[in-house]
Amino acid sequence: MTRWLFFCLLLALPAWAAVGDPNERLPDPAKEAIAREIGRELRCLVCQNQSIEDSDAQLARDLRRLVRERVAAGEDSAAVIRFVHQRYGDFVLLRPPVTAATMLLWATPILALGGGIAVIMLRRRRALAEAAALSPEEARRLAELDRGAA
Amino acid sequence: MSDITPPKRPRRWMLYAPLGLAAAAGAGFYAMLQGLQDGSYDPRGVPSVLLGKPVPDFSLPALEGVDLPALAAADLRGPLPGPVLVNFWASWCAPCIIEHPQLMRLAREGIAVHGINYKDRVMEAGAFLQRHGNPYRRLGRDEPGRIAIDWGVYGVPETYLLDRQGMIRWRWAGPITADTLEKDLRPLLRRYA
């Protein structure tokens, strides 16, 4: 039981570690939640592997503030993300859009999975084909066994 | 006998396939390292969305205590008498000090260089220009850094080259070293002169 509780506590840790500067937050919790969701979609261009919600860089802070201002003004998520996207391009989106340039990026998992399945199926088929054919020696022994059993 | 298929010979080339793959990957990495060294490849670089476009609308105040006119988008709309450089800088930015002699040289050669002072204190920005010299014809002050976001700036220094029509032709994120000036900027300045 204690172990179970401890496990739950471990899961909960990141939740309160993510709380940022309270001065930055919007007074309306619903809008703050929207702003946070938007922020998690946007890449910090300074640290690059963090979202602007997670980053402590000056530019990330400015972008967080910008996102909150626009959310507070009543803009929807898509419009806010579009605003930032127009300025920083695809790079700022942690989930890049599917375009000709990013096609390979998106298709890689499918290609890898499809390739793997193809390899497995080819090997299996070949294994079956090989198992079906008996060497002359095996054919002779099998005939012997058959005779013995009869 | 003829109905029994002989056992298949292992395909030899399959053994070399991983080797070939590793060689191809090695060549790729080598090209990347070469690119990193000569600056043609930057994995952290963020391509500018402004290339081929005019500058976004803005109007910035002048820097107090420095006798330079302010900067607004209207100053950067074509037709312009020649190519123009717009340089985002700050006194707290160390690479800006490395870059400064190159900007000074361009200014002496008569190239129009405008500055946008990014997230800086008035006194310190003024002191920086006093110590290192002033290359700018116009200087805007972007203390909150909002105009920089409109330009897609993600660090200082950053420099934009505008052609005579006021279109952005080149963006350099990082200091313009003597090497960058000769190899990248000079050919562009000649092309858009």
Side-chain angles (χ1 to χ4, degrees):
Chain A
M1 187 61 194
T2 356
R3 195 178 283 187
W4 188 231
L5 270 175
F6 182 69
F7 180 69
C8 290
L9 198 68
L10 267 181
L11 285 179
L13 267 173
W16 40 273
V19 175
D21 184 352
N23 292 327
E24 280 184 9
R25 276 182 251 159
L26 290 171
D28 180 353
K31 290 207 162 169
E32 172 63 23
I34 296 171
R36 212 166 274 187
E37 216 165 280
I38 296 169
R40 274 197 283 265
E41 294 287 319
L42 299 173
R43 185 198 300 271
C44 168
L45 297 129
V46 182
C47 342
Q48 301 208 344
N49 278 329
Q50 285 184 309
S51 76
I52 61 165
E53 282 301 311
D54 297 329
S55 170
D56 211 29
Q58 190 61 245
L59 180 63
R61 203 169 303 166
D62 289 352
L63 286 170
R64 279 203 293 273
R65 198 173 303 150
L66 186 141
V67 165
R68 275 159 183 75
E69 274 176 24
R70 300 190 85 85
V71 170
E75 241 176 66
D76 66 32
S77 307
V80 178
I81 289 177
R82 195 159 54 237
F83 181 88
V84 181
H85 183 208
Q86 275 166 359
R87 280 152 184 77
Y88 287 99
D90 286 351
F91 201 90
V92 80
L93 303 177
L94 281 170
R95 270 192 294 183
V98 184
T99 62
T102 58
M103 209 50 180
L104 189 64
L105 182 70
W106 282 98
T108 302
I110 301 160
L111 287 177
L113 191 69
I117 291 172
V119 165
I120 289 169
M121 274 168 55
L122 271 176
R123 289 189 67 115
R124 183 161 295 177
R125 191 173 301 169
R126 197 186 305 156
L128 281 175
E130 273 165 14
L134 291 179
S135 69
E137 172 68 10
E138 282 168 337
R140 196 183 52 75
R141 280 199 58 198
L142 186 66
E144 234 164 62
L145 285 169
D146 276 344
R147 228 174 296 139
Chain B
M1 271 296 196
S2 59
D3 58 324
I4 295 162
T5 49
K8 269 188 194 159
R9 286 188 62 210
R11 290 189 227 168
R12 292 300 294 264
W13 65 266
M14 288 284 268
L15 288 173
Y16 297 108
L19 214 70
L21 217 65
F29 278 128
Y30 183 74
M32 269 160 78
L33 284 175
Q34 283 290 313
L36 278 173
Q37 210 151 42
D38 65 28
S40 60
Y41 170 66
D42 178 10
R44 293 175 61 87
V46 181
S48 175
V49 294
L50 283 182
L51 294 178
K53 293 183 187 160
V55 302
D57 245 338
F58 75 96
S59 176
L60 286 171
L63 185 73
E64 294 155 51
V66 176
D67 192 23
L68 285 171
L71 184 68
D75 303 313
L76 303 171
R77 301 270 185 243
L80 299 163
V84 167
L85 290 169
V86 180
N87 174 242
F88 286 80
W89 67 283
S91 68
W92 47 261
C93 142
C96 296
I97 301 172
I98 299 170
E99 172 177 81
H100 214 72
Q102 282 69 254
L103 296 180
M104 292 298 288
R105 192 182 326 159
L106 286 165
R108 269 198 304 274
E109 291 170 12
I111 304 288
V113 184
H114 299 310
I116 294 179
N117 182 237
Y118 175 77
K119 283 184 171 286
D120 211 345
R121 296 203 185 99
V122 174
M123 292 294 284
E124 285 165 23
F128 181 97
L129 293 181
Q130 204 125 60
R131 192 173 328 128
H132 300 288
N134 167 50
Y136 305 119
R137 290 199 190 169
R138 289 178 169 274
L139 181 58
R141 180 163 185 258
D142 186 15
E143 196 278 317
R146 270 303 163 85
I147 299 310
I149 288 177
D150 283 344
W151 283 62
V153 169
Y154 65 102
V156 275
E158 230 174 78
T159 306
Y160 293 76
L161 172 71
L162 278 63
D163 67 12
R164 300 167 73 124
Q165 281 73 48
M167 296 294 167
I168 293 173
R169 291 299 168 195
W170 182 72
R171 191 274 297 264
W172 188 260
I176 295 176
T177 58
D179 212 38
T180 315
L181 174 64
E182 296 308 327
K183 276 201 196 130
D184 298 274
L185 189 48
R186 285 233 190 267
L188 288 166
L189 283 171
R190 272 195 295 273
R191 194 155 121 207
Y192 294 113

